[in-house]
Amino acid sequence: MKKKRLDSKGNIIAGTTAILVATLLLICIFVITTINYIENENIDSETNDNFKYVVDDYSANLEVLGREAISQATQKVFNGIPILNSEDQIMKNLNKILDEKNEEYEEKYGAKITSQVLSVENTDSPWKILLKVKLNIKKDNEEFSKIVERNASVEGLRDPLPIAKLTVLSGILTYDDTYHYKTALSAYMLLHNLDSPESYIEATAPLTIRKCPYDPYTHHGDPGVLDDCLKNGYFHESADGSCYLCRLEGKGKCPHYGFEVFIQTHTPLKNESLSCSDHVVFADHYNGEKINPDDINSLILDSSHRKKYGLVEDGQ
């Protein structure tokens, strides 16, 4: 009887030991599997993060690269080369820039990128140009395909309209961040039989586009505001002024929502001449009078522009 009890106990101990060993093996397998899963998840997560960075970084750069493409088109105008279709010119510039950027990203990140600029368009704001780019990015097993839209700002770029309209051969000069028309504008007015072209001899205008901070514009009638505006060369939104894309083509007026800037005369003459908003001088051609007849640097404005900028006298 004692021998049978010992055998029974031995069987119980052996069985228990086997169960414990099997349990430990299962636990080890589970732990190892879990560790491998976590490591693989971390690798996948890191891969996804790297790919997301490439996509986000490239997309964010489109705004800067688009602005560069616009600036290249502007430089072409300043080099004396006419632009007949500004949208196509900017698209060509941007496609070339993106081709170079795609090679850079492939070398740096191992990402295969193809891009195609679909359109260059005006927006509701004259200070922004909308760029649409078809973008395909592949890296390892990740892929991104989407039409990306970005707005490129024209603030801080040079205004191409005067040089595109009058050409580099007219004698117009640019220095001190200013257009110096010399006799170029008066010659243009004389050619088009416009009143008092001598009033615009030695006229000046801002070279760089800066958005006027005085909103609403009627604040220009407040003390010191107009002087500050002229000193800083601010541009103003205008339904009649031409947009940046049309300015590149030398159009003084266009159907888009654009902007205008004052062409400032420096004349002792008091006779009536063109109102000095640039779209009036280059396209609309209607007359105005000096705000202050005794001021050699006074703006020449028509009644509607005086009202727009709060420069009307009491009773007018």
Side-chain angles (χ1 to χ4, degrees):
M1 293 295 294
K2 287 183 180 180
K3 186 175 181 179
K4 289 181 179 179
R5 288 177 181 173
L6 288 173
D7 291 341
S8 177
K9 288 181 179 179
N11 290 335
I12 292 172
I13 292 172
T16 302
T17 302
I19 292 172
L20 289 174
V21 170
T23 302
L24 288 172
L25 286 173
L26 289 173
I27 291 174
C28 290
I29 292 171
F30 175 77
V31 170
I32 292 171
T33 302
T34 301
I35 291 173
N36 287 334
Y37 176 79
I38 292 174
E39 287 178 347
N40 289 333
E41 280 293 297
N42 287 337
I43 292 172
D44 290 341
S45 176
E46 184 178 349
T47 301
N48 289 337
D49 288 344
N50 288 339
F51 184 74
K52 185 176 183 300
Y53 170 80
V54 172
V55 172
D56 291 345
D57 186 63
Y58 191 98
S59 299
N61 278 333
L62 286 177
E63 181 177 340
V64 176
L65 300 177
R67 180 181 168 90
E68 182 182 342
I70 299 169
S71 181
Q72 288 181 1
T74 303
Q75 184 59 49
K76 186 174 181 178
V77 173
F78 277 80
N79 289 341
I81 304 173
I83 292 180
L84 302 179
N85 190 317
S86 58
E87 291 93 337
D88 282 352
Q89 182 63 56
I90 293 170
M91 287 175 63
K92 290 177 182 177
N93 294 347
L94 185 53
N95 275 322
K96 185 176 180 180
I97 292 171
L98 292 181
D99 287 343
E100 295 174 356
K101 187 61 63 174
N102 296 345
E103 293 180 5
E104 177 186 322
Y105 270 71
E106 185 170 8
E107 292 177 3
K108 189 173 182 180
Y109 301 110
K112 180 67 176 179
I113 302 177
T114 59
S115 56
Q116 180 186 3
V117 183
L118 301 179
S119 65
V120 175
E121 305 172 13
N122 281 297
T123 68
D124 293 337
S125 167
W127 317 105
K128 302 283 186 180
I129 292 176
L130 177 63
L131 309 168
K132 293 183 180 180
V133 180
K134 174 64 176 176
L135 193 59
N136 292 286
I137 303 177
K138 294 181 181 180
K139 183 181 180 183
D140 300 325
N141 295 323
E142 301 286 344
E143 185 173 354
F144 174 88
S145 181
K146 188 178 180 181
I147 296 176
V148 179
E149 299 183 3
R150 286 293 184 273
N151 285 321
S153 174
V154 300
E155 291 187 71
L157 297 180
R158 292 171 295 176
D159 178 16
L161 177 59
I163 204 79
K165 188 74 175 179
L166 301 178
T167 78
V168 294
L169 301 177
S170 65
I172 186 172
L173 300 176
T174 56
Y175 56 88
D176 297 334
D177 200 26
T178 302
Y179 272 112
H180 296 265
Y181 284 99
K182 300 301 181 180
T183 60
L185 195 51
S186 57
Y188 165 84
M189 292 173 63
L190 186 63
L191 181 64
H192 290 82
N193 297 315
L194 301 172
D195 291 340
S196 190
E198 64 275 9
S199 295
Y200 278 84
I201 295 175
E202 296 292 340
T204 58
L207 176 62
T208 302
I209 294 177
R210 297 183 180 88
K211 182 180 179 181
C212 184
Y214 296 108
D215 188 15
Y217 292 153
T218 50
H219 283 302
H220 286 71
D222 297 343
V225 173
L226 180 60
D227 289 340
D228 186 65
C229 180
L230 295 174
K231 178 182 177 182
N232 289 284
Y234 291 137
F235 284 66
H236 309 87
E237 295 187 21
S238 171
D240 297 318
S242 56
C243 68
Y244 197 88
L245 294 177
C246 287
R247 284 173 176 263
L248 284 167
E249 298 171 4
K251 297 176 181 176
K253 189 174 183 177
C254 72
H256 315 111
Y257 190 56
F259 42 76
E260 64 184 359
V261 71
F262 298 128
I263 297 177
Q264 190 170 3
T265 60
H266 308 282
T267 176
L269 300 176
K270 299 180 181 180
N271 48 313
E272 185 178 288
S273 187
L274 286 181
S275 185
C276 72
S277 178
D278 63 345
H279 69 86
V280 178
V281 173
F282 289 126
D284 292 320
H285 300 160
Y286 51 79
N287 285 354
E289 296 178 352
K290 276 189 172 185
I291 299 173
N292 181 356
D294 299 320
D295 182 2
I296 192 173
N297 295 315
S298 175
L299 295 180
I300 299 174
L301 288 177
D302 58 280
S303 59
S304 63
H305 278 92
R306 291 188 188 209
K307 184 176 181 180
K308 175 180 179 178
Y309 293 100
L311 299 170
V312 294
E313 298 178 358
D314 293 339
Q316 286 188 316

